[in-house]
Amino acid sequence: MQKNNVFQTKNGLKVCYVEKPNFHKSYVGIGLNYGSRDLKFYLEGNAITSLEGTAHFIEHKLFQMPYGDAFEEFSKLNASANAYTDLEKTIYYFTTTEDLYAPLELLLKMYFTPYFKKEDVEKEKGIITSEIKMYDDVIESRFTRKILKELYPRSSLSSNVAGTVKSVTQTTFEDLNKAYQAFYTTDNSYMVIVSHEPREKVYQFIENVMQRLSVNRGIPERKEEPPLKIGSSFSMQANCEQTTAALAMRFSANQDAHLFCNFIIGLLDGLFSPSTKYYNELYSKKAFIADIDYYVMTLRDTSYAIISTTSLSPKEFLKDIEYKLKNLSKRDLDKAALEQYLKHLKAKSIRALDSVEELGDEILVLALENASYLDELEQSQTLQIKDFYQYIDYFRNAEYIQAICEKSKE
């Protein structure tokens, strides 16, 4: 992979191409910095407030084209397409083992030529609300949403990506158009291609297609509000068989590395891996029943982590691990577990080079964060245990919420 592999079309779309001569499969993804948290923005000088779930709604509707469903069109071209929306971005992509150019043109046309018909918008509401109701029936999903609402009170950071039944029902054709015009610009978008096709041929093809499209330019102007003071610890009841205990933490805003998520997970591995001293101390006290799970989310102005398990003594478990994290030191971390995580991280980075989907998605996500995959790959290969110690203070300075989900007494 070469570092200088970014091409920009005359109308502003940035394209990163990774030529893989020995790959039979090709990946093409296009994404933008626009997700479920981006509810307030400006369009032509006017302040706009979107309804919750608008970004996800647009993702659904963009596959609707004048001549039919884009999913079906991709299938006819022997390409497998999909898309996803999260808090800060929306990504559309396809893979194919056959011709690259026809589905590539289809993706560009679909992305830059919205076809929002009022009757189709109304029809889509039923599909999305069914999806929302399905997740509302999942206890774990409701529990996590409640945790996020306490981590980020009255903030779009805690909004449901798909929206609510009420917000989706109230979304209009005009709402989708305004958000599309503000965010779906070439300057706010990025395309990544991993293929065996000749680089210059691909670039010329994209330029030719883009010149035939009418596109929006400009960087979106968001109206972002800083997160409010963290909420409170809580306990909720649900129709569950076992009690779940979760410790959520909100980290300080300005992380100084794109590997922040990996550093935090590495430290948690050094504490909670089954081989560590602290894990076994908790186990001997029967503080938990199943494995201890955790994940980290990094965003453009904040980050958080959630640690959870099932427990017969949830209050004691949460009190114990919160105290440990607030007073975390090098002595608490198992070096063997950290070494194992380092090996996993380095191996994972190298394995991604052999998968068009993993490589393409990783490059695209990082590009949207204004980061370089190659720079991160190089950094991950030179990491040492001592690099993790610099991030211990994030746990000491974090804000914490304890959450318990227990079986309803009724």
Side-chain angles (χ1 to χ4, degrees):
M1 288 176 63
Q2 300 175 355
K3 285 198 175 185
N4 298 321
N5 59 351
V6 178
F7 165 77
Q8 186 165 348
T9 65
K10 293 177 181 177
N11 51 14
L13 177 65
K14 294 179 288 296
V15 183
C16 175
Y17 183 77
V18 180
E19 192 170 343
K20 287 284 190 176
N22 298 323
F23 277 26
H24 187 53
K25 183 186 285 187
S26 296
Y27 165 97
V28 179
I30 187 168
L32 70 160
N33 286 307
Y34 173 52
S36 60
R37 69 174 293 185
D38 298 309
L39 300 181
K40 295 184 178 182
F41 57 94
Y42 293 91
L43 180 63
E44 298 176 347
N46 298 313
I48 308 292
T49 300
S50 289
L51 290 164
E52 195 173 330
T54 300
H56 176 258
F57 205 134
I58 293 176
E59 177 215 309
H60 269 239
K61 288 313 303 163
L62 218 56
F63 280 92
Q64 182 68 39
M65 302 186 74
Y67 44 82
D69 186 341
F71 277 116
E72 295 179 6
E73 298 302 314
F74 279 112
S75 183
K76 291 176 184 177
L77 297 171
N78 298 307
S80 176
N82 214 330
Y84 65 88
T85 302
D86 64 22
L87 275 167
E88 296 185 337
K89 60 186 172 294
T90 307
I91 288 176
Y92 306 81
Y93 64 95
F94 73 82
T95 58
T96 183
T97 55
E98 299 191 22
D99 174 63
L100 170 72
Y101 298 98
L104 172 54
E105 181 174 7
L106 174 61
L107 181 64
L108 287 169
K109 286 182 176 179
M110 182 194 87
Y111 186 87
F112 287 113
T113 311
Y115 186 67
F116 301 145
K117 291 181 65 177
K118 290 185 178 180
E119 55 268 33
D120 289 335
V121 169
E122 292 304 313
K123 188 187 302 181
E124 196 70 30
K125 290 180 180 180
I127 297 171
I128 298 175
T129 53
S130 294
E131 182 181 331
I132 293 169
K133 290 175 181 177
M134 179 182 69
Y135 282 105
D136 282 344
D137 289 336
V138 179
I139 296 168
E140 293 83 355
S141 177
R142 294 207 314 271
F143 186 42
T144 300
R145 287 207 301 273
K146 171 66 174 169
I147 291 172
L148 290 178
K149 287 186 181 298
E150 295 299 332
L151 275 180
Y152 300 100
R154 299 191 298 282
S155 167
S156 59
L157 287 166
S158 63
S159 64
N160 185 2
V161 171
T164 64
V165 171
K166 181 178 180 181
S167 69
V168 170
T169 302
Q170 293 178 346
T171 299
T172 66
F173 161 83
E174 289 79 14
D175 294 330
L176 301 183
N177 264 320
K178 288 175 183 177
Y180 179 88
Q181 290 175 39
F183 290 100
Y184 278 75
T185 68
T186 53
D187 301 287
N188 192 44
S189 302
Y190 211 107
M191 173 171 270
V192 169
I193 302 173
V194 183
S195 179
H196 53 271
E197 289 290 323
R199 182 191 311 273
E200 293 305 321
K201 183 180 178 181
V202 173
Y203 286 161
Q204 188 58 56
F205 181 83
I206 293 172
E207 185 66 74
N208 291 339
V209 173
M210 290 297 292
Q211 290 307 306
R212 298 196 299 269
L213 299 176
S214 177
V215 301
N216 297 323
R217 296 295 305 268
I219 299 296
E221 185 181 358
R222 296 173 174 84
K223 184 181 178 183
E224 294 190 318
E225 299 172 350
L228 298 174
K229 183 179 179 182
I230 199 166
S232 305
S233 296
F234 68 90
S235 178
M236 62 177 272
Q237 294 186 342
N239 185 25
C240 55
E241 293 302 318
Q242 295 179 313
T243 297
T244 298
L247 182 69
M249 61 207 79
R250 192 169 95 182
F251 299 112
S252 55
N254 298 315
Q255 283 76 51
D256 57 0
H258 290 284
L259 283 169
F260 178 81
C261 179
N262 293 322
F263 284 122
I264 296 299
I265 291 176
L267 291 174
L268 292 174
D269 263 14
L271 198 60
F272 294 116
S273 290
S275 60
T276 66
K277 178 182 177 182
Y278 184 59
Y279 178 97
N280 284 284
E281 286 177 2
L282 293 172
Y283 182 78
S284 65
K285 292 190 291 187
K286 298 182 180 180
F288 59 93
I289 302 172
D291 287 338
I292 301 174
D293 298 317
Y294 38 87
Y295 72 92
V296 181
M297 178 67 72
T298 56
L299 303 167
R300 55 183 175 246
D301 54 0
T302 185
S303 298
Y304 66 87
I306 298 178
I307 305 168
S308 63
T309 190
T310 52
S311 176
L312 295 176
S313 52
K315 291 181 180 179
E316 290 78 4
F317 170 78
L318 293 173
K319 181 180 178 181
D320 198 327
I321 65 170
E322 180 175 341
Y323 179 83
K324 175 64 74 173
L325 290 168
K326 282 183 173 179
N327 296 277
L328 192 63
S329 70
K330 294 180 187 178
R331 295 188 301 275
D332 297 314
L333 300 168
D334 186 288
K335 286 190 177 181
L338 277 174
E339 287 283 6
Q340 186 63 35
Y341 178 74
L342 269 177
K343 291 178 182 177
H344 161 76
L345 190 60
K346 293 174 181 180
K348 180 183 175 184
S349 299
I350 294 172
R351 282 198 308 270
L353 294 172
D354 294 324
S355 166
V356 292
E357 293 95 337
E358 286 186 42
L359 181 60
D361 187 68
E362 187 75 8
I363 294 173
L364 182 50
V365 167
L366 286 170
L368 290 171
E369 297 173 358
N370 199 31
S372 165
Y373 173 78
L374 283 174
D375 289 344
E376 182 160 312
L377 178 63
E378 289 178 6
Q379 189 178 353
S380 69
Q381 297 306 306
T382 59
L383 286 178
Q384 301 178 42
I385 287 181
K386 64 180 182 179
D387 297 318
F388 287 81
Y389 296 152
Q390 302 173 48
Y391 290 81
I392 289 175
D393 279 347
Y394 279 98
F395 289 103
R396 294 173 178 165
N397 299 325
E399 298 177 277
Y400 290 83
I401 284 176
Q402 296 183 12
I404 298 171
C405 181
E406 56 189 353
K407 187 174 182 178
S408 175
K409 296 176 182 178
E410 295 182 359

